[in-house]
């Protein structure tokens, strides 16, 4: 797979025989892990040649010797990771279950999955990682409500699934458009976020996961008046939104709209507005590259009661706003070690 710099933001290059340096690169593109050397005689010949587009990293991963990649029992990875080997078949072990990744049947694992992968020295992997916040915010936008549990994909991306085959074709198209006869590079800076969302949304629509039935059933069944109210919230979240606004936009009574929110989204309209506002702030803080004024960001997104903000934010995302920024800054600093 060839990657076009016009689509992707930054190049990530690492080539080393040092296990510690390889671990640093893997921490950036995957998250906490342990890399076990199965042969101390032959040298490591690690390389990752890839690119980053916002919350998506993709490239070619080679270890060059027999190793085991093992997740940490007490720490989750930062990304949903997809492995599609060009050569070899990495073997995943998860408790008593085992499965293999191949070119025809790629594997996808979630950040909270605990497993180890046995990887042969000849293995060459096409590797894609997608940040947890990007997947979660895209899915919550898709189904129109907060997520009540983490996203858990089926591990095998079956080559018999025509939607998955189409997703690989879409990925190839986006990342190799520079080979085509026409040129729209001048538009790329404005369109990069759209490409990112299209790739993630199409993955959520293609690969089975624990919210697939919600996507299939819920949105299409939502009444038009509820869709109008949700659309108004999404486009006016920076402003103060009251029930009278939603009643006017939806065209139905406050009682009928309130019942639709509770029946379809399992929350009140006010709770949904608070959730969506917090989600927008979380998404912005997850992408910052240096220290930012949290108060200014919160007020920009319509937060008026700063005293409750930090508490509600931590209840929703399991960390404080300052912790979200700290993690994003550390990840960016680590990334700078490998940007060519």
């Amino acid at each position: 797979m060839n990657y076009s710099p016009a689509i992707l933001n930054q190049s990530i290059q690492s080539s080393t025989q040092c296990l510690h340096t390889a671990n640093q690169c893997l921490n950036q593109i995957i998250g906490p892990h342990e890399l076990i050397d199965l042969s101390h005689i032959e040298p490591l010949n690690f390389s990752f040649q890839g690119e980053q587009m916002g919350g998506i990293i993709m490239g070619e991963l080679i270890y060059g010797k027999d190793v085991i990649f093992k997740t940490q029992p007490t720490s989750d990875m930062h990304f949903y990771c997809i492995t599609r080997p060009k050569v070899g078949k990495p073997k995943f072990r998860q408790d008593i279950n085992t499965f293999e990744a191949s070119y025809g049947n790629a594997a996808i694992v979630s950040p909270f999955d605990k497993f180890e992968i046995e990887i042969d020295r000849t293995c060459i992997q096409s590797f894609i990682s997608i940040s947890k916040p990007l997947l979660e915010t895209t899915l919550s936008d898709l189904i129109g409500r907060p997520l009540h549990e983490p996203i858990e994909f089926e591990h095998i991306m079956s080559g018999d699934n025509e939607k998955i085959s189409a997703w690989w074709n879409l990925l190839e198209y986006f990342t190799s458009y520079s080979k085509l006869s026409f040129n729209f590079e001048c538009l790329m800076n404005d369109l990069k976020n759209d490409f990112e969302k299209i790739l993630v949304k199409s993955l959520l629509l293609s690969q089975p996961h624990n919210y697939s039935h919600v996507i299939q059933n819920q949105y299409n069944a939502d009444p038009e008046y509820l869709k109008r109210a949700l659309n108004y919230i999404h486009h006016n979240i920076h402003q103060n939104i009251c029930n009278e606004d939603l009643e006017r936009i939806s065209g139905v009574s406050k009682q009928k709209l309130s019942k639709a929110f509770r029946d379809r989204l399992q929350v009140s309209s006010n709770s949904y507005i608070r959730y969506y506002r917090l989600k927008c702030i979380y998404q912005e803080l997850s992408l910052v590259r240096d220290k930012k004024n949290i108060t200014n960001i919160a007020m920009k997104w319509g937060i008026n009661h700063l005293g409750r903000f930090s508490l509600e934010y931590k209840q929703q995302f399991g960390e404080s706003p300052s912790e979200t920024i700290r993690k994003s800054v550390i990840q960016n600093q680590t990334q700078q070690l490998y940007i060519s």
Side-chain angles (χ1 to χ4, degrees), residues 78-187:
H78 303 317
F79 296 88
Y80 286 81
C81 298
I82 299 172
T83 296
R84 191 190 197 192
K86 300 176 181 178
V87 178
K89 293 184 178 182
K91 181 176 290 186
F92 290 71
R93 294 190 179 90
Q94 187 180 45
D95 296 327
I96 61 173
N97 299 318
T98 63
F99 57 94
E100 287 185 340
S102 65
Y103 186 79
N105 295 298
I108 180 169
V109 290
S110 303
F112 51 84
D113 279 333
K114 303 304 175 187
F115 60 88
E116 62 180 41
I117 317 173
E118 186 176 325
I119 306 163
D120 185 82
R121 65 183 182 276
T122 62
C123 185
I124 301 173
Q125 303 176 59
S126 289
F127 180 84
I128 302 166
S129 60
I130 303 173
S131 76
K132 182 172 178 283
L134 174 60
L135 255 170
E136 289 178 341
T137 55
T138 303
L139 178 57
S140 67
D141 285 346
L142 191 60
I143 65 176
R145 66 169 173 82
L147 306 186
H148 299 305
E149 57 185 14
I151 307 168
E152 185 173 2
F153 287 97
E154 290 185 6
H155 286 133
I156 297 300
M157 299 176 68
S158 173
D160 295 331
N161 180 343
E162 63 178 2
K163 289 185 177 181
I164 287 298
S165 296
W167 186 77
W168 288 117
N169 292 337
L170 181 67
L171 186 67
E172 179 70 27
Y173 179 80
F174 278 172
T175 56
S176 61
Y177 87 95
S178 58
K179 293 188 258 182
L180 304 176
S181 59
F182 55 86
N183 189 337
F184 49 91
E185 185 171 339
C186 59
L187 295 173

Side-chain angles (χ1 to χ4, degrees), residues 54-66:
I56 302 175
I57 297 172
M58 56 188 84
E60 184 175 274
L61 177 60
I62 300 172
Y63 291 95
K65 71 177 306 182
D66 297 340

Side-chain angles (χ1 to χ4, degrees), residues 17-35:
Q17 292 185 332
C18 172
L19 194 66
H20 176 71
T21 304
N23 274 324
Q24 285 185 308
C25 180
L26 292 171
N27 277 333
Q28 176 201 348
I29 65 174
I30 299 175
H33 71 285
E34 180 182 1
L35 194 60

Side-chain angles (χ1 to χ4, degrees), residues 12-49:
I12 304 173
Q13 313 287 333
S14 179
S15 182
T16 183
Q17 292 185 332
C18 172
L19 194 66
H20 176 71
T21 304
N23 274 324
Q24 285 185 308
C25 180
L26 292 171
N27 277 333
Q28 176 201 348
I29 65 174
I30 299 175
H33 71 285
E34 180 182 1
L35 194 60
I36 302 171
D37 186 347
L38 293 180
S39 171
H40 297 286
I41 300 174
E42 55 189 19
L44 183 75
N45 191 20
F46 174 89
S47 72
F48 180 79
Q49 310 295 321

Side-chain angles (χ1 to χ4, degrees), residues 1 7 10-11 29 31 34 76-77 122 124 139 147 152 159 185 196 208 232 244 247 249 251 262 281 312 316 327:
M1 190 177 291
I7 292 276
Q10 295 173 316
S11 174
I29 65 174
E34 180 182 1
D76 290 346
M77 300 184 296
T122 62
I124 301 173
L139 178 57
L147 306 186
E152 185 173 2
E185 185 171 339
E196 182 184 11
Y232 180 82
E244 288 72 19
E247 187 176 1
I249 293 298
R262 293 195 176 280
I281 296 170
E312 292 178 345
Q316 184 67 51
K327 285 166 58 177

